[in-house]
Amino acid sequence: MAEHNVCVELVRERQKCTFEVQELIHLIDGGITATEERREVENVVCTDPRIKDVVPEEYLSHKERYENAIRKNCILQEILKKYTEKRTWDNFRPSNKYRISSGVVKDISPFMLHTGMFIPTLVNQSDDEQKAKWVPKAMSMEIIGTYAQTELGHGSFIRGLETTATYDPNTEEFVLNTPNLTSYKWWPGGLAHTANHCIVVAQLYSKGQHYGVHPFFVQIRDIETHVPLPGIKVGEIGPKLGFQTANNGFLGFENFRIPRRNMLMKNAQVLKDGTYIKSKNDKLTYGTMVFVRVIILFDLAFELSRAATIAVRYSAVRHQSQLKANEPELQIIDYVTQQHKLFIGVSTSHVFRVVGLWLWNTYVKVNADIGKGNMDQLPELHALACCLKAVCSRDAAARVEEFRLACGGHGFMTSSNLPIINGIVSASITYEGEFSVLMLQTARFLMKAWNGVLARKTLTPTVSYLSKFSNSDRVQWANTTAGIISGFQAAAAGKTKEAYAAIQSYLKPGTDYEDAWNSASVQLVSASEAHCRAILCEISWSEMQRLSKTVSPNLGKVLLELAELYLTYWSLEKRGDLLMYTTISTADIAKLQARYEELLALIRPNAVGIVDGFDIRDEILNSTLGAYDGRVYERLMEEAKKSPLNAEPVNESFHKYIKPLMLKAKL
Ligand SMILES: CCCCC/C=C/C(=O)SCCNC(=O)CCNC(=O)[C@H](O)C(C)(C)COP(=O)(O)OP(=O)(O)OC[C@H]1O[C@@H](n2cnc3c(N)ncnc32)[C@H](O)[C@@H]1OP(=O)(O)O
Ligand SMILES: Cc1cc2nc3c(=O)[nH]c(=O)nc-3n(C[C@H](O)[C@H](O)[C@H](O)COP(=O)(O)OP(=O)(O)OC[C@H]3O[C@@H](n4cnc5c(N)ncnc54)[C@H](O)[C@@H]3O)c2cc1C
């Protein structure tokens, strides 16, 4: 990027940096070629004049904003398609597709569910013949789809969904119905006016028997006219806290018929005569959710890196208050409280990325085994994906909010982009499995694992540490990274044991296990969180250590500082747990605090270099506060001038309302 016009603060910060920013960029991308390919596509998309907004999207009406998002995302799809045809896009990761769409519209793409869930469900849940028929059409966008599972009355409890798919052997069709108001599909992205197809998750009935929820491939609009097909009621659900351009919709069916072969039949099948062939495992129907929960970690890492880039650059540019009399006002990044707000978010982005890659590799391996008929590791994968998705989305939302607060008043401006990123990240705590619901899924796994501990069984890899801490003794504390990881494992084991004991204590004669579970559920969620934190600490530390050995010593040192900051920050946050479950002393905590402050000081000179290492173009940052050149004040003023209210010096409401009010006051 050109250095001219860059504000003096950022020039100085970049001169201070002790490592090669390009090396960090390549590490994050996964190699030089991957960086080059990503940059090439980003350059084509972001410099396309059709992508640039004359009026910022937040000033558009709800309808115009959607139409603009569709127009620009169609251009994006055209460009991406051209690149796909030109070469094999193995290096252009799905996370890059999410990233680039942020350079097209500030909010969410109406096609997000097409790429994020419709195609993955077709790929993973159709049989070979169905795949050959549907996947190429979906990939080329000849058909556009979404994933319609949630209903007005049910989201978390999938078994409670009410939409029915009843098999009619006479015509070899399923008849779809929405029996009640609460059975309307509600929320699917792109469903309202974008998609012409969707995956519908519905209760299957055949030969008078109920077989539970199954996925169906359903066309909802005419391909030529886009008019909803007879028997389909579809529309938009209205404005939300965020996701304004996601085009979330509702959908109802009235005796709507689809061919038998439109049931996705990789796992379960309905034969022509209505005979039902059971899946090897019922939970394979939930496979797309596991996939998306895994992928979400990459999206969260990216959103955190965007917010971090904005807040760190702004903090280097912004001066406020004097630390010492007669000295210039300080760059706010030099206040240690500011570093405390910023650097944990920067480090968390790296932690999510490396843990995300580890989780992805686990997913690929388990999925390959499932393909060979071995389901043994599915429960562990499900438990991992649930707690990591839940904890990481909560943490990401907290960090983005902290970044916004770190930018003071200007962080509250939509033009900073922090409020929009905030809305996007907050949504992820709810969608794809609400926080507590997913945490309790992991708790089920932990309770089974604790049963295993008591029965002296060999546990699966990610919970095997529980056996080490099964007695009541507090674990010996050591002020080292290994000691911290062991401390988190001890806390997780202690909480798992207590939650298990709490269930037992609630299990008085006449009490059902489910009621005892509900009574103990606050402790169960706490155990899940501790387990997840132990995983985040252990995996991120080992991965960052491994990566640090693959790069130059200067960059390696920075990676380790970031990873250690994460461990130290959370040790201090969770000092209460560590005091309960380890022999940590107040003197040890004081040492941790001192090390934490030392790490803030070590990271400080490289802070701008580290966020430059995320390599996020200005068009993708979309922020008055975070641009590469740091021209914050010029940009704030330029953007303010775009307000439609500034188009005329006197607004007509003055003559209509204010003036009469003033005149009346005079009388
Ligand atoms: C690209 C990004 C797009 C983002 C846009 C957003 C899209 C969406 O939000 S789509 C809709 C997503 N919806 C959800 O995520 C709903 C959340 N609810 C569930 O996943 C489930 O209903 C449940 C897991 C909360 C409960 O399912 P249920 O069938 O009631 O299961 P039980 O609690 O009775 O548990 C039975 C048994 O099954 C195991 N299990 C549950 N889910 C899975 C799974 N996905 N994979 C593997 N195994 C699973 C569960 O652990 C239980 O095991 P046992 O303890 O051994 O009995
Ligand atoms: C922005 C956005 C996009 C979405 N996109 C899609 C989409 O494309 N397709 C789609 O199908 N869906 C989509 N959804 C729906 C989403 O998956 C659901 O909102 C989510 O699964 C939660 O379900 P719910 O809204 O019914 O909440 P509820 O299940 O009603 O939960 C409400 C509260 O009850 C608590 N609760 C519920 N069950 C339990 C339990 N068993 N134990 C303890 N507490 C419980 C929860 O913790 C929560 O606090 C989207 C949602 C949002 C916000």
Side-chain angles (χ1 to χ4, degrees):
M1 235 175 273
E3 287 299 326
H4 59 272
N5 273 337
V6 175
C7 73
V8 63
E9 287 86 351
L10 289 184
V11 172
R12 260 194 251 121
E13 293 294 333
R14 287 174 181 135
Q15 283 164 353
K16 263 194 279 197
C17 187
T18 61
F19 66 92
E20 264 307 318
V21 170
Q22 288 303 320
E23 198 186 4
L24 178 56
I25 294 173
H26 299 326
L27 179 83
I28 292 175
D29 278 323
I32 298 178
T33 314
T35 302
E36 284 168 355
E37 291 193 345
R38 173 183 59 73
R39 282 184 175 168
E40 189 187 336
V41 184
E42 284 179 0
N43 194 44
V44 173
V45 173
C46 295
T47 57
D48 190 313
R50 298 169 297 171
I51 294 293
K52 199 150 182 62
D53 278 326
V54 182
V55 180
E57 65 184 74
E58 52 272 25
Y59 290 118
L60 301 178
S61 71
H62 186 60
K63 185 166 170 273
E64 289 165 337
R65 205 168 167 180
Y66 166 69
E67 288 161 0
N68 189 44
I70 283 289
R71 179 184 67 78
K72 295 205 289 179
N73 271 287
C74 286
I75 296 167
L76 171 66
Q77 293 306 327
E78 251 175 51
I79 298 172
L80 289 181
K81 200 172 158 194
K82 232 183 267 168
Y83 272 91
T84 319
E85 280 159 8
K86 218 167 91 180
R87 64 181 91 179
T88 48
W89 270 95
D90 290 345
N91 283 327
F92 202 65
R93 304 177 188 174
S95 53
N96 283 343
K97 288 192 180 157
Y98 176 88
R99 173 183 167 122
I100 204 165
S101 76
S102 310
V104 174
V105 286
K106 287 185 185 169
D107 212 325
I108 290 293
S109 161
F111 295 133
M112 186 194 196
L113 266 286
H114 175 80
T115 32
M117 291 193 84
F118 181 66
I119 294 177
T121 309
L122 291 180
V123 170
N124 291 316
Q125 313 248 359
S126 312
D127 63 28
D128 289 345
E129 191 186 295
Q130 292 174 322
K131 237 187 278 186
K133 190 170 163 195
W134 296 325
V135 173
K137 286 186 182 173
M139 297 288 275
S140 67
M141 299 201 77
E142 200 183 319
I143 58 172
I144 296 159
T146 182
Y147 183 84
Q149 179 173 289
T150 307
E151 296 172 357
L152 200 47
H154 286 96
S156 298
F157 186 53
I158 304 174
R159 279 185 286 137
L161 295 176
E162 298 171 37
T163 303
T164 54
T166 309
Y167 186 63
D168 177 355
N170 299 319
T171 59
E172 295 180 18
E173 289 171 321
F174 290 101
V175 187
L176 298 186
N177 268 302
T178 300
N180 302 301
L181 174 65
T182 49
S183 348
Y184 267 81
K185 293 294 171 191
W186 193 271
W187 270 119
L191 174 64
H193 297 90
T194 313
N196 45 31
H197 286 73
C198 53
I199 303 297
V200 172
V201 179
Q203 300 286 357
L204 168 65
Y205 290 85
S206 186
K207 292 186 175 178
Q209 294 285 317
H210 176 214
Y211 293 107
V213 292
H214 288 74
F216 297 85
F217 175 85
V218 184
Q219 181 175 348
I220 55 170
R221 288 176 181 271
D222 183 87
I223 292 289
E224 288 301 317
T225 64
H226 210 52
V227 171
L229 297 176
I232 295 287
K233 291 179 211 154
V234 63
E236 205 231 358
I237 64 171
K240 296 137 286 184
L241 186 144
F243 270 56
Q244 306 301 355
T245 48
N247 199 224
N248 299 95
F250 65 79
L251 171 68
F253 300 101
E254 209 175 84
N255 289 323
F256 188 77
R257 287 178 170 266
I258 55 170
R260 178 183 68 93
R261 288 286 293 153
N262 279 26
M263 174 176 149
L264 271 56
M265 291 202 185
K266 180 175 174 186
N267 299 315
Q269 294 98 38
V270 170
L271 304 184
K272 284 183 183 173
D273 68 350
T275 304
Y276 177 73
I277 312 283
K278 211 173 143 29
S279 163
K280 282 189 198 128
N281 182 328
D282 285 351
K283 297 305 170 202
L284 292 177
T285 307
Y286 296 171
T288 308
M289 286 180 284
V290 179
F291 166 80
V292 177
R293 286 169 195 152
V294 171
I295 291 294
I296 282 174
L297 259 68
F298 296 119
D299 298 347
L300 293 172
F302 166 67
E303 292 298 1
L304 267 183
S305 68
R306 276 214 295 173
T309 305
I310 295 167
V312 168
R313 285 186 184 156
Y314 175 71
S315 297
V317 173
R318 179 76 164 177
H319 293 254
Q320 194 82 216
S321 311
Q322 291 169 303
L323 194 62
K324 296 179 194 159
N326 304 322
E327 284 201 356
E329 287 184 79
L330 219 55
Q331 284 169 281
I332 59 173
I333 198 169
D334 281 325
Y335 293 108
V336 176
T337 48
Q338 187 76 356
Q339 295 165 12
H340 176 55
K341 286 181 200 169
L342 298 175
F343 298 168
I344 179 61
V346 176
S347 143
T348 303
S349 172
H350 284 276
V351 167
F352 286 4
R353 193 188 67 257
V354 297
V355 175
L357 275 169
W358 169 83
L359 182 63
W360 172 249
N361 291 334
T362 309
Y363 172 84
V364 170
K365 190 189 166 304
V366 175
N367 233 21
D369 286 350
I370 291 173
K372 291 178 210 147
N374 176 2
M375 315 277 165
D376 292 354
Q377 292 174 70
L378 180 59
E380 183 165 40
L381 172 67
H382 169 58
L384 269 179
C386 280
C387 70
L388 282 168
K389 184 271 176 186
V391 169
C392 294
S393 58
R394 265 261 170 119
D395 284 1
R399 298 275 74 88
V400 170
E401 177 65 355
E402 196 71 6
F403 282 136
R404 183 185 74 72
L405 295 172
C407 295
H410 297 325
F412 200 63
M413 295 292 296
T414 303
S415 74
S416 76
N417 208 12
L418 290 170
I420 296 178
I421 298 175
N422 209 334
I424 292 172
V425 173
S426 296
S428 69
I429 306 173
T430 305
Y431 68 61
E432 216 51 64
E434 191 277 338
F435 177 83
S436 316
V437 170
L438 293 193
M439 293 300 266
L440 288 169
Q441 285 291 307
T442 304
R444 279 173 82 107
F445 187 72
L446 287 177
M447 292 305 103
K448 284 191 177 173
W450 199 256
N451 264 327
V453 171
L454 297 179
R456 299 187 185 281
K457 285 190 181 152
T458 306
L459 302 182
T460 53
T462 59
V463 283
S464 60
Y465 71 87
L466 291 174
S467 315
K468 275 201 289 180
F469 305 103
S470 57
N471 64 31
S472 306
D473 299 342
R474 289 197 296 154
V475 171
Q476 193 60 41
W477 174 261
N479 250 345
T480 58
T481 49
I484 292 173
I485 292 164
S486 169
F488 276 109
Q489 291 177 338
K495 287 182 176 221
T496 300
K497 182 180 180 179
E498 281 162 20
Y500 187 93
I503 296 176
Q504 305 309 315
S505 73
Y506 282 118
L507 267 178
K508 305 256 158 29
T511 308
D512 290 333
Y513 182 81
E514 291 79 2
D515 289 323
W517 172 273
N518 194 21
S519 300
S521 57
V522 173
Q523 294 184 56
L524 286 161
V525 170
S526 183
S528 276
E529 188 185 345
H531 168 66
C532 190
R533 195 68 63 196
I535 287 173
L536 281 162
C537 288
E538 186 190 2
I539 303 298
S540 67
W541 180 251
S542 65
E543 282 301 294
M544 292 289 260
Q545 254 191 329
R546 185 182 63 77
L547 289 172
S548 71
K549 290 178 191 138
T550 67
V551 293
S552 64
N554 284 6
L555 177 57
K557 182 171 173 292
V558 172
L559 294 179
L560 292 181
E561 285 164 3
L562 287 169
E564 192 186 344
L565 183 91
Y566 185 84
L567 264 57
T568 316
Y569 174 92
W570 279 106
S571 309
L572 290 166
E573 280 292 300
K574 297 287 179 189
R575 69 188 77 181
D577 288 351
L578 296 179
L579 280 163
M580 275 187 75
Y581 302 106
T582 75
T583 60
I584 195 170
S585 64
T586 47
D588 292 326
I589 293 172
K591 276 188 206 151
L592 277 175
Q593 184 68 37
R595 179 62 183 158
Y596 178 68
E597 287 158 19
E598 204 178 336
L599 284 164
L600 292 180
L602 285 168
I603 291 169
R604 162 65 189 95
N606 284 321
V608 168
I610 294 170
V611 298
D612 283 351
F614 293 130
D615 200 29
I616 306 176
R617 290 176 66 105
D618 285 353
E619 296 90 340
I620 292 175
L621 280 180
N622 255 315
S623 171
T624 45
L625 306 186
Y628 186 82
D629 64 11
R631 287 174 52 249
V632 167
Y633 301 111
E634 291 91 328
R635 281 202 167 74
L636 280 166
M637 186 56 88
E638 280 160 22
E639 282 300 306
K641 285 185 179 159
K642 291 180 188 166
S643 166
L645 282 173
N646 292 329
E648 46 193 10
V650 178
N651 182 265
E652 63 173 359
S653 64
F654 173 76
H655 300 289
K656 270 182 159 168
Y657 307 114
I658 301 178
K659 199 167 179 189
L661 182 77
M662 290 162 68
L663 287 174
K664 269 188 210 154
K666 256 191 186 174
L667 296 175

